[in-house]
Amino acid sequence: MTFDEILDQVRELLQSKGRVAYRALKRRFELDDEYLEDLKSELIKAERVAVDEDGEVLVWAGEGEKEERAKRGNGKSEKKSEPQDSQTPNPELRTSPSAERRQLTVMFCDLVGSTALSARLDPEELRDVVRSYQETCGTVIRRYDGHIAQHLGDGLLVYFGYPTAHEDDAQRAVRAGLEIITALRSQVPSPLAGEGAVGSHHSLQVRIGIHTGLVVIGEIGSNEKREMLALGETPNVAARVQGQASPDEVMISAATYRLVEGLFEAEDRGQPQLKGVTTPLTLYHVRKESTAHSRFETAIQKGLTPLVGREEEFALLRRRWEQAKEGEGQVVLLSGEAGIGKSRLVQEVKDRVSAEGATRIEFRCSPYHQNSAFY
């Protein structure tokens, strides 16, 4: 596509959604940094239809210069337009981006002992502590491509799967939860530590709850303040799950557990009564990551079903293996969308060469360290 074609598509996407992350644009349109900067310059500075937010998000700002030129072209004076503006709401405020239905993993993170902190600290000191806590959590959440939807006082509402969806959003949420606890322990000391207060700790503590399910996400609010929020049972359940966690615990629902089973060591906490939730829900306390690198490894332990419908691909790999054994070095790149059976096909090759006594060396890249080459 040409630059103008991509610009038109980005403009339409931005106008329909209201706000789009730069990382989502780079992934969707396969842009490099220089190309993205050119698009930003055109939309923000030239057309004035968008604004930058924190260097991470592009926000729709209306028709900008186009609207002003249209007004001047129609010969409307500022004086005549004022009464009309005062009686008729801005068209941009009347129309909001359409809501969408999607699968989301929602995390609630709540600071433990905030009441005690507010009672013992000066408000300015408390503000510094809360900011440090939020910045530490935010750094971890961004690393796993989560989206902080709201700062609820000393709590955080976080979405994994919006605005950018991944095949492993549930895993990202759980990893982020565990890393938040570790980061706070090492980076944010408690201001009450050493005072001898009952229940005081050397670092800030949090309770984290995670649940996965369907939501409808869209813009809600008044003209003064509008937010992109997920509505439905999922955020409410996530909040209830968080309420069952002890300090420095990550608690997940059965729905999330099914998506991460085998990748983490988790303890069954039974089915406690959750306020407002009528269906019994099993909760799990996540202790730490397991030694498995992927869900496919856990599936192997349970036993794999027979390989079906990949005879041609498997035959090609077998031929390349025979050539390699004869001294003709071979390299095969196997690529495709998630879930179509790449790992299953490779496993068949592993089993074949291992049975022949070959030595297999395996390397894996981490999707959470994309800026670190060869991590």
Side-chain angles (χ1 to χ4, degrees):
M1 289 190 294
T2 66
F3 177 81
D4 289 336
E5 289 173 336
I6 294 179
L7 178 63
D8 289 339
Q9 290 192 25
V10 171
R11 189 190 300 108
E12 291 175 5
L13 177 68
L14 181 61
Q15 187 174 10
S16 66
K17 287 183 172 294
R19 48 197 296 122
V20 181
Y22 294 135
R23 295 182 63 175
L25 288 177
K26 293 175 69 174
R27 185 183 295 272
R28 183 188 294 265
F29 296 100
E30 298 182 353
L31 308 176
D32 57 26
D33 290 337
E34 184 176 355
Y35 210 110
L36 179 62
E37 287 300 320
D38 291 342
L39 288 173
K40 288 167 57 179
S41 179
E42 184 68 19
L43 293 170
I44 296 174
K45 298 179 180 179
E47 298 186 8
R48 297 185 181 178
V49 296
V51 294
D52 174 85
E53 183 178 287
D54 299 330
E56 297 183 353
V57 179
L58 195 62
V59 181
W60 179 252
E63 291 299 326
E65 280 295 301
K66 291 183 178 179
E67 186 175 287
E68 292 300 320
R69 287 197 298 268
K71 286 183 178 180
R72 290 195 295 267
N74 292 335
K76 294 181 179 179
S77 67
E78 291 296 325
K79 186 174 182 180
K80 290 182 179 180
S81 64
E82 286 178 2
Q84 183 177 358
D85 290 344
S86 63
Q87 296 172 10
T88 305
N90 188 315
E92 183 195 351
L93 299 179
R94 288 202 306 265
T95 59
S96 61
S98 58
E100 57 180 310
R101 185 182 181 91
R102 59 197 299 171
Q103 179 91 347
L104 213 62
T105 296
V106 179
M107 170 198 288
F108 267 95
C109 178
D110 186 53
L111 183 63
V112 175
S114 58
T115 302
L117 288 174
S118 62
R120 300 172 70 90
L121 297 179
D122 181 84
E124 291 187 0
E125 294 177 319
L126 178 63
R127 177 178 178 272
D128 291 339
V129 171
V130 172
R131 285 188 61 185
S132 181
Y133 147 73
Q134 291 177 339
E135 289 173 0
T136 301
C137 293
T139 299
V140 174
I141 291 166
R142 286 190 294 272
R143 180 179 303 127
Y144 291 97
D145 219 3
H147 169 68
I148 300 178
Q150 282 187 320
H151 289 87
L152 306 170
D154 53 22
L156 300 174
L157 170 62
V158 186
Y159 299 155
F160 290 87
Y162 176 86
T164 303
H166 310 84
E167 61 175 323
D168 58 347
D169 282 313
Q171 298 175 34
R172 290 170 179 263
V174 177
R175 293 181 194 277
L178 293 173
E179 193 167 319
I180 283 173
I181 293 173
T182 301
L184 289 176
R185 285 174 177 171
S186 61
Q187 301 176 24
V188 188
S190 171
L192 301 184
E195 293 187 4
V198 177
S200 62
H201 295 81
H202 292 290
S203 62
L204 296 183
Q205 294 183 301
V206 290
R207 293 184 177 91
I208 296 176
I210 300 172
H211 177 57
T212 304
L214 288 174
V215 302
V216 171
I217 190 163
E219 191 177 43
I220 63 173
S222 63
N223 290 347
E224 289 75 21
K225 182 179 182 181
R226 305 185 72 82
E227 297 177 297
M228 294 295 291
L229 289 179
L231 300 180
E233 185 183 35
T234 301
N236 298 330
V237 173
R240 300 306 182 194
V241 172
Q242 179 264 317
Q244 295 295 319
S246 299
D248 279 354
E249 279 190 355
V250 176
M251 194 75 70
I252 64 176
S253 67
T256 302
Y257 178 75
R258 286 193 293 270
L259 297 172
V260 303
E261 185 177 4
L263 297 174
F264 301 90
E265 294 182 11
E267 173 191 357
D268 189 331
R269 287 288 180 87
Q271 297 180 340
Q273 183 64 41
L274 303 180
K275 184 179 179 181
V277 180
T278 56
T279 304
L281 191 65
T282 303
L283 303 185
Y284 296 85
H285 166 219
V286 181
R287 294 184 177 276
K288 61 180 181 179
E289 290 188 47
S290 69
T291 56
H293 293 96
S294 68
R295 292 197 68 201
F296 189 77
E297 290 187 30
T298 64
I300 294 175
Q301 298 173 2
K302 297 179 181 179
L304 296 174
T305 57
L307 181 68
V308 176
R310 296 296 184 196
E311 292 81 5
E312 182 178 349
E313 293 87 349
F314 189 40
L316 173 62
L317 291 173
R318 289 203 308 269
R319 290 196 298 272
R320 295 295 179 264
W321 170 240
E322 293 300 326
Q323 288 176 280
K325 289 196 297 181
E326 293 172 0
E328 300 180 24
Q330 301 292 312
V331 175
V332 177
L333 172 63
L334 178 62
S335 64
E337 296 181 1
I340 64 173
K342 299 186 299 295
S343 298
R344 182 69 181 87
L345 182 58
V346 170
Q347 185 61 36
E348 288 294 318
V349 180
K350 292 179 185 178
D351 294 341
R352 171 66 66 94
V353 301
S354 296
E356 297 179 9
T359 299
R360 177 172 57 85
I361 303 176
E362 185 170 329
F363 297 93
R364 292 178 178 270
C365 295
S366 168
Y368 315 123
H369 299 82
Q370 294 181 358
N371 295 325
S372 177
F374 306 115
Y375 184 93

